[in-house]
Amino acid sequence: MGVAEVGVPIRDPPPSLVLSSSQNISQRSTTAASESNPKPKKKICCACPDTKMLRDECIVEHGEAACTKWIEAHLKCLRAEGFKV
């Protein structure tokens, strides 16, 4: 606790006030980030099972080079679900 020039004691703000103001700042930045980038609702392993299955089968049977059509279709689906791939 310090003393002001006029002799009035200065108190530090209670920790609860400091914490809540920093929480407000982090909540605002989190809200702003979530509004601009929608968060995926699923895990990436569970998203787009149809295109994933087609992509995987094609790669096993024909090799990755021959399956760009299915790979791109799966990536497009993942992006539509909110993943950055």
Side-chain angles (χ1 to χ4, degrees):
M1 189 167 18
V3 177
E5 292 180 5
V6 292
V8 178
I10 300 173
R11 296 184 186 183
D12 293 330
S16 60
L17 288 179
V18 174
L19 182 60
S20 62
S21 64
S22 64
Q23 285 175 339
N24 288 336
I25 293 168
S26 66
Q27 286 174 348
R28 277 187 248 138
S29 63
T30 303
T31 304
S34 65
E35 289 173 359
S36 63
N37 297 326
K39 185 175 179 182
K41 294 180 174 124
K42 303 174 186 175
K43 293 181 180 180
I44 197 165
C45 62
C46 302
C48 305
D50 297 333
T51 57
K52 182 179 179 181
M53 181 181 64
L54 291 170
R55 178 204 64 181
D56 292 348
E57 286 179 6
C58 183
I59 291 172
V60 168
E61 293 177 12
H62 306 288
E64 188 174 338
C67 301
T68 56
K69 172 184 169 183
W70 299 115
I71 294 168
E72 289 301 317
H74 185 59
L75 291 174
K76 183 178 178 182
C77 180
L78 291 174
R79 288 184 192 112
E81 291 284 333
F83 293 98
K84 295 179 183 181
V85 290

